[in-house]
Amino acid sequence: DGGITQSPKYLFRKEGQNVTLSCEQNLNHDAMYWYRQDPGQGLRLIYYSQIVNDFQKGDIAEGYSVSREKKESFPLTVTSAQKNPTAFYLCASNEDGGGSYTFGSGTRLTVV
Amino acid sequence: AQSVSQHNHHVILSEAASLELGCNYSYGGTVNLFWYVQYPGQHLQLLLKYFSGDPLVKGIKGFEAEFIKSKFSFNLRKPSVQWSDTAEYFCAVSTSGTYKYIFGTGTRLKVLA
């Protein structure tokens, strides 16, 4: 079955460390997204990519970085510059502009 | 700036009660509208979507939503809720020709058995 795989499901990071969250899709979708979900704030867009080797900042990109070297993969790095990284991170993809998203199951990151 | 408002943050209903969750957006152009649901411990999934045509759209599990362009609204409804509808519901908007969505802050629905 096609879908989005996010790993790991839970991640613990020490302050000052960078950490990379994986997102892989086998849906042949062009566009991929990273959202951060915090209680009471809904989903906020971190980065998105419409095509391989291109990506755009979302609303809260500071302290994050991404790459899109392959169509199937869109990893997110949470850097030490992110002031409040503890959150639930969701990866999504869609086929064309405006189409409905398919979401991954998320990664819960906790800074200890 | 574009925004999506969900005014009900927490809703508690008894089984068989009717449900209406509000969603308003701010954008004057053509939009695509979505409702997503996140059941406890599960990932977000699409409930229904509106792109064009009949403004009353039907989704999965008996949900429906009505697009009222003059009110910039896309409210979600269900005539009779079940305990299994307990979840968080998100309204989202994308503008025509763009890729990214803007999400509302979500509504947590709890249905009492």
Side-chain angles (χ1 to χ4, degrees), chain A residues 6 8-12 21 37 39 85-89 105-110, chain B residues 38:
Chain A
Q6 288 188 245
K9 191 171 182 178
Y10 298 96
L11 189 56
F12 296 88
L21 283 59
Q37 186 177 11
T86 294
F88 189 56
Y89 291 87
S105 56
T107 293
R108 188 166 298 280
L109 173 64
T110 304
Chain B
Q38 189 173 35

Side-chain angles (χ1 to χ4, degrees), chain B residues 25-37:
Chain B
Y25 64 93
S26 63
Y27 181 72
T30 302
V31 293
N32 300 320
L33 299 156
F34 308 85
W35 276 98
Y36 283 83
V37 60

Side-chain angles (χ1 to χ4, degrees), chain B residues 28-112:
Chain B
T30 302
V31 293
N32 300 320
L33 299 156
F34 308 85
W35 276 98
Y36 283 83
V37 60
Q38 189 173 35
Y39 297 104
Q42 296 186 30
H43 58 86
L44 277 155
Q45 54 187 286
L46 182 68
L47 259 184
L48 47 78
K49 60 186 178 183
Y50 172 81
F51 285 2
S52 63
D54 188 345
L56 183 63
V57 293
K58 295 191 184 299
I60 61 172
K61 305 188 180 186
F63 286 91
E64 64 179 31
E66 185 175 13
F67 171 48
I68 303 179
K69 191 174 181 179
S70 61
K71 294 185 178 180
F72 299 91
S73 71
F74 190 56
N75 293 354
L76 181 71
R77 300 194 293 247
K78 186 170 185 179
S80 176
V81 294
Q82 301 172 318
W83 177 82
S84 58
D85 293 324
T86 294
E88 190 161 17
Y89 294 80
F90 292 92
C91 180
V93 173
S94 72
T95 54
S96 181
T98 67
Y99 284 76
K100 57 179 182 174
Y101 289 13
I102 299 169
F103 282 87
T105 52
T107 298
R108 286 186 183 271
L109 170 67
K110 183 168 185 175
V111 180
L112 304 175

Side-chain angles (χ1 to χ4, degrees), chain A residues 45-48 55-62 64 66, chain B residues 100:
Chain A
L45 183 64
I46 304 172
Y47 268 97
Y48 65 103
F55 48 82
Q56 310 293 330
K57 290 183 180 180
D59 300 316
I60 55 165
E62 185 176 351
Y64 300 98
V66 294
Chain B
K100 57 179 182 174

